[in-house]
Amino acid sequence: MSAPAKDLTPLVRPRSIALVGATPLESNKLASWALGNLLKHDVPANLYLVNPRYDTLEGRPCYPDLESLPATPDLVLVLVPAAAAIDVLRQAESLGSQAAILFSSGFGEGDRAGSPLDLELKAFLSDTPMAVCGPNTNGVINCIDRIPAGFPPYAMADELPAGSLGVVSQSGALVSSLVQHLLGNGLGLTVGFAVGNGIDLTVGDYVRFLATDDRTEQIVVYAEGLHDTDRFFAAADEARAAGKPVHVMKAGRSPEGADAARTHIGALVGDYDAFAARCRRHGILMAHDLAELAALPLAQGRWGRRVGVLSSSGAMAGILADSARENGFEVPPLGPVAHSALAERMTLGEPRNPLDLTGQSVVDHGLLPAALDAMGNDPGLDVLVHGMLIGPEAIIDKQMDSLVAQAQQGTPVAVYSAPGWHPVDYPKLAEAGIPVFNSPDRLFRCLGEWENRRHLPRDEEPQAWPDETLDDLLADISAPACAPAEYAQDRPAAVKLVGDGLDHKTELGLVELNVEPSDIVAAAARLETRRRELGLPDAVVVAQPMADPGIELIVGTRVDPEAGPCVVVGLGGVLAELVDDVAIGPAPLSAAEAHALLDATRAGALLDGYRGKPRSDREAAAEVLMRLGRIAARHHTEAEINPLIVHTSGVTAVDVLIGGR
């Protein structure tokens, strides 16, 4: 059972703060930066400075240690080397301080994981009632209440970037760049948390705090490797229930990225696709990069997938249409009413979707409003996307007025800025809630994430699962195997060596297919010779009747260090690794999720009878996925079936690897 959640209020809104390791502002050290920020923003809390080398600092008394303070501080900022930091934490705990920020590095990063100092800190944090941020953090910045307890660059500005977004980042260095993107979008922060190594307080703890914070409307997260994913997803569910969307950018899409994240924070980093699949199940929106992470909050709304594209540039209209298609949107033809209305109004160009308003729109300022009205009332379109160009301010101003007027009629409108400008450069649009993006792909990815979230599958009623194991499943779907000498069927057989780790039988020459019953003994003898050549004393030769033809899948289960138990499916057989067409979903799976997983690969189309081929039993395949998901969720079993042959009726499991061997 996990420990009860700690109260983060003293960390975020302390009434008193002690800065241990305080140094003069001119020293230009981390501690001086932290002190400078607290003084610059006139922190509304009692501030105590602690350093035995000074009697006063910046006109304030300086104390030799925490025990010398006139009162117990709510929050202790620990700005001393790692070797001395744990003693400071112990002093703070003994005095009754409720929270601390441990800025020091040198505990669990890189090859320091498991060092005596790292283990000592973990032992202390596992038992302390204090809420401790860090180590290896640059602080907690409460922008609303002007409490910058740290030193990220954005906290050094003359004004803290106050707003309605809560930010949680496992990188303190990155968060200021994220804030710059947010500011360009006209967005600001309630609180910014730099998680650091997150030994005591994890990403999930900060998300849970923001989920209950009245001033936070949306939550933005940069994650690398999560120590406690169940806590994170539970917190995301709380945020969703409170009407607060959670946006995540996750490092580790590539092996190299995962290694960098692992080294940075000393945490296990799992499969990105598995994590993303679990995020989708919990309604979390995913971003590919910092700019997209900062843009996702702008796109909140109901968009639909049928896009009407228009611009005064035909090139721009074409670029937007390409991006829409590439990101899963439709660009349907105009309906007859919209087509007729535009044909009557346009003197140049062709009334179509995507719509090139041509140079006529530069001199005919009524054309854009007319086009927006015609397309906005087209029942075949859900959303209008306008490509904004550089032009005289008077023309751009009129275009913005037209877009605002259309949005006020209830039409979802989004804008792509071809010059690469930000929402703050289009104040009229920002005030009207029209999102502006400086990349067409980013525009459609953001709109698409919100649409995906809107169409989450409904939670199914809890059901009592049968307590079956993988052996139970295989007994139902596997081709029967026997010793070669015992084969008694009159149909051709597959003769093969089976044993731990033998997952590439074809390449190793360990299987013979379509062997006539009269040749089975000879084939088995050849494989026995091969077994001795390869030094496989535990492998045995078996014979199985050849399975009926069908679509070959690879299906299996995996227990990911971050996403937990998962189900994997894709095209199988000898082409599985070559094609690399797999989808992954968190276990267990509902029937709808099992079918969606099949459709996320080419297997879905093949099962449905591609190009006149007979339809395969996709219901049976989905049933296998659901049973695997229940087995993985209950028993954390890891296994791979390759191939699982899906026939016109039923399925057959041919080869199985168990336990990741």
Side-chain angles (χ1 to χ4, degrees):
M1 179 180 294
S2 60
K6 294 181 177 180
D7 181 12
L8 271 58
T9 304
L11 181 71
V12 177
R13 293 189 284 272
R15 294 163 299 179
S16 54
I17 303 171
L19 198 161
V20 180
T23 58
L25 297 182
E26 64 269 16
S27 65
N28 199 29
K29 296 180 179 179
L30 299 183
S32 66
W33 296 350
L35 175 57
N37 288 338
L38 292 168
L39 296 177
K40 173 187 288 186
H41 297 291
D42 191 22
V43 60
N46 294 325
L47 182 60
Y48 304 117
L49 308 184
V50 178
N51 192 325
R53 292 186 293 172
Y54 303 99
D55 294 325
T56 61
L57 272 177
E58 308 305 327
R60 294 169 176 263
C62 191
Y63 301 89
D65 52 41
L66 288 173
E67 294 177 346
S68 305
L69 298 181
T72 298
D74 289 342
L75 173 63
V76 177
L77 308 186
V78 185
L79 282 149
V80 298
I86 301 177
D87 285 341
V88 173
L89 290 173
R90 288 196 177 99
Q91 290 176 25
E93 180 190 58
S94 67
L95 291 172
S97 293
Q98 298 169 286
I101 302 177
L102 179 54
F103 296 91
S104 317
S105 58
F107 291 98
E109 312 88 43
D111 58 5
R112 298 185 183 94
S115 67
L117 200 60
D118 181 38
L119 295 176
E120 183 182 0
L121 177 63
K122 288 178 178 176
F124 170 80
L125 292 178
S126 68
D127 196 40
T128 183
M130 291 194 302
V132 181
C133 173
N136 191 27
T137 177
N138 63 10
V140 176
I141 311 303
N142 178 341
C143 296
I144 300 291
D145 298 311
R146 304 190 330 277
I147 307 177
F151 43 79
Y154 77 90
M156 299 179 182
D158 291 338
E159 295 290 336
L160 294 176
S164 62
L165 300 182
V167 171
V168 182
S169 175
Q170 284 189 295
S171 168
L174 191 74
V175 71
S176 290
S177 298
L178 171 60
V179 169
Q180 283 302 115
H181 283 288
L182 292 172
L183 290 174
N185 291 336
L187 302 171
L189 282 62
T190 54
V191 187
F193 295 103
V195 179
N197 293 9
I199 296 176
D200 180 40
L201 299 177
T202 66
V203 172
D205 292 308
Y206 299 114
V207 172
R208 175 172 283 114
F209 172 84
L210 294 168
T212 60
D213 178 41
D214 292 340
R215 300 179 295 190
T216 298
E217 296 177 3
Q218 299 191 59
I219 301 169
V220 175
V221 178
Y222 169 74
E224 294 183 340
L226 300 182
H227 297 284
D228 189 346
T229 49
D230 288 341
R231 187 186 302 181
F232 167 71
F233 286 112
D237 287 343
E238 289 184 32
R240 183 180 169 198
K244 300 181 181 185
V246 178
H247 314 279
V248 172
M249 176 186 169
K250 175 74 162 62
R253 292 207 303 267
S254 68
E256 296 80 7
D259 285 343
R262 189 178 300 113
T263 301
H264 182 201
I265 62 171
L268 290 174
V269 178
D271 182 276
Y272 179 87
D273 290 335
F275 180 82
R278 191 167 177 190
C279 282
R280 285 192 292 272
R281 171 176 284 183
H282 290 266
I284 296 169
L285 295 88
M286 298 290 289
H288 285 74
D289 55 37
L290 278 185
E292 190 171 320
L293 182 61
L296 273 171
L298 292 173
Q300 185 172 15
R302 300 168 62 92
W303 299 101
R305 291 278 179 180
R306 301 173 302 173
V307 183
V309 172
L310 66 166
S311 176
S312 57
S313 160
M316 184 55 52
I319 289 170
L320 285 168
D322 287 345
S323 184
R325 286 287 189 182
E326 289 167 2
N327 287 283
F329 287 79
E330 302 174 44
V331 186
L334 294 175
V337 175
H339 185 277
S340 176
L342 286 169
E344 291 179 7
R345 193 71 176 72
M346 296 177 68
T347 58
L348 299 173
E350 179 185 351
R352 61 190 303 272
N353 185 29
L355 179 63
D356 175 12
L357 294 169
T358 73
Q360 179 185 346
S361 63
V362 177
V363 294
D364 180 358
H365 296 157
L367 179 57
L368 176 58
L372 289 169
D373 182 67
M375 298 177 78
N377 288 304
D378 188 331
L381 301 177
D382 299 316
V383 54
L384 301 185
V385 175
H386 180 256
M388 188 81 77
L389 304 173
I390 289 179
E393 186 174 337
I395 292 178
I396 300 300
D397 224 36
K398 286 183 170 59
Q399 289 181 354
M400 287 194 289
D401 289 340
S402 301
L403 292 164
V404 169
Q406 190 64 40
Q408 288 173 342
Q409 294 180 34
T411 304
V413 176
V415 168
Y416 164 53
S417 170
W421 295 345
H422 294 85
V424 292
D425 300 310
Y426 300 95
K428 287 185 179 180
L429 300 182
E431 290 171 11
I434 297 175
V436 176
F437 304 85
N438 52 22
S439 156
D441 284 339
R442 188 172 301 126
L443 183 157
F444 287 110
R445 283 200 301 265
C446 287
L447 269 56
E449 282 295 303
W450 281 99
E451 277 302 291
N452 292 340
R453 184 178 189 267
R454 192 163 68 89
H455 296 288
L456 286 174
R458 293 183 178 179
D459 295 334
E460 296 188 347
E461 289 295 322
Q463 298 179 358
W465 301 343
D467 188 12
E468 65 177 343
T469 66
L470 183 65
D471 288 340
D472 297 326
L473 171 63
L474 294 176
D476 290 342
I477 65 174
S478 294
C482 63
E486 298 173 357
Y487 191 81
Q489 300 197 38
D490 60 359
R491 62 187 298 175
V495 185
K496 58 189 177 183
L497 273 175
V498 296
D500 290 349
L502 299 183
D503 56 337
H504 291 281
K505 294 182 179 64
T506 301
E507 293 91 329
L508 294 173
L510 304 182
V511 60
E512 294 191 22
L513 302 177
N514 290 304
V515 180
E516 292 299 327
S518 59
D519 296 330
I520 287 177
V521 173
R526 290 190 294 272
L527 291 177
E528 282 289 352
T529 300
R530 185 67 175 147
R531 179 186 67 79
R532 290 191 294 272
E533 290 173 351
L534 294 176
L536 301 171
D538 297 325
V540 296
V541 180
V542 300
Q544 291 175 304
M546 288 293 295
D548 292 333
I551 303 300
E552 294 189 354
L553 304 181
I554 180 171
V555 301
T557 58
R558 177 189 306 166
V559 180
D560 186 84
E562 290 184 298
C566 297
V567 178
V568 182
V569 64
L571 288 176
V574 296
L575 297 178
E577 293 183 7
L578 176 64
V579 176
D580 191 23
D581 179 35
V582 297
I584 188 167
L589 298 174
S590 67
E593 289 170 329
H595 283 284
L597 212 57
L598 290 168
D599 289 332
T601 73
R602 296 181 183 90
L606 292 175
L607 292 172
D608 289 337
Y610 183 68
R611 290 201 170 184
K613 297 289 185 181
R615 182 180 174 85
S616 301
D617 193 347
R618 69 147 53 219
E619 293 295 334
E623 177 68 20
V624 170
L625 295 182
M626 288 188 287
R627 292 176 70 179
L628 281 172
R630 294 193 291 263
I631 291 165
R634 175 166 282 169
H635 301 291
H636 281 213
T637 302
E638 291 195 330
E640 178 184 292
I641 303 173
N642 184 27
L644 175 76
I645 302 178
V646 186
H647 313 294
T648 54
S649 178
V651 298
T652 302
V654 176
D655 251 339
V656 182
L657 289 173
I658 299 175
R661 298 191 297 268

